[in-house]
């Protein structure tokens, strides 16, 4: 309750903008090949490690890591076309890969972007 009281109220525009950003992320994730999507969701949203995902899927860590890296590359390309990554990169001063990682982590944890 104290955290909510201390947090400044967001404007309707900010709330709508954030919801649109999350929607674009979900659209991009939905376009991934099934294996990439599943592994990315388990890693970022399910908070599983590469090793745990590999155990679940009966494979080694390497293909899991490669799938997630390829999924991030595919998301990066989709979101660059939508203007999300370049805006995040400018705001954070980070490279595009780091900006995408930040975007995924924030969205997964419900933080404001």
């Amino acid at each position: 309750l104290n955290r909510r009281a201390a947090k400044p109220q967001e404007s309707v525009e900010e709330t709508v903008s954030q919801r649109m950003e999350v929607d674009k992320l979900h659209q991009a994730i939905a376009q991934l090949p099934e294996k990439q999507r599943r592994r990315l969701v388990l890693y970022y949203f399910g908070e599983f490690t590469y090793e745990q995902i590999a155990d679940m899927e009966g494979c080694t860590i390497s293909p899991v890591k490669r799938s997630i890296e390829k999924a991030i590359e595919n998301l990066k390309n989709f979101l660059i076309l939508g203007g999300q990554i370049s805006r995040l990169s400018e705001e954070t001063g980070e490279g595009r890969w780091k900006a995408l990682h930040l975007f995924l982590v924030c969205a997964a944890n419900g933080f404001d972007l």
Side-chain angles (χ1 to χ4, degrees):
L1 182 61
N2 289 336
R3 274 188 254 149
R4 285 194 307 192
K7 186 177 178 181
Q9 193 72 350
E10 293 179 347
S11 70
V12 172
E13 292 82 12
E14 289 171 332
T15 302
V16 169
S17 176
Q18 289 172 5
R19 184 70 233 164
M20 289 172 63
E21 289 173 353
V22 171
D23 287 346
K24 285 182 183 183
L25 176 61
H26 286 282
Q27 289 172 6
I29 291 171
Q31 292 186 8
L32 292 172
E34 191 270 329
K35 189 179 287 187
Q36 288 178 15
R37 180 177 57 247
R38 181 180 65 245
R39 291 175 176 175
L40 181 94
V41 168
L42 287 170
Y43 184 73
Y44 280 102
F45 296 91
E47 297 182 13
F48 289 95
T49 65
Y50 292 142
E51 186 175 82
Q52 290 169 323
I53 296 168
D55 287 344
M56 282 187 261
E57 298 197 353
C59 64
T60 63
I61 293 172
S62 294
V64 171
K65 187 174 180 180
R66 278 193 308 271
S67 288
I68 293 170
E69 289 170 351
K70 184 63 177 169
I72 290 171
E73 183 179 331
N74 289 336
L75 287 176
K76 176 184 74 167
N77 291 333
F78 178 84
L79 294 171
I80 286 171
L81 293 174
Q84 294 295 315
I85 296 300
S86 59
R87 185 180 65 77
L88 281 170
S89 294
E90 290 169 11
E91 288 179 6
T92 63
E94 301 288 338
R96 288 185 172 166
W97 281 95
K98 289 182 181 178
L100 177 58
H101 179 76
L102 174 65
F103 186 76
L104 285 169
V105 170
C106 288
N109 291 297
F111 294 119
D112 295 341
L113 301 170

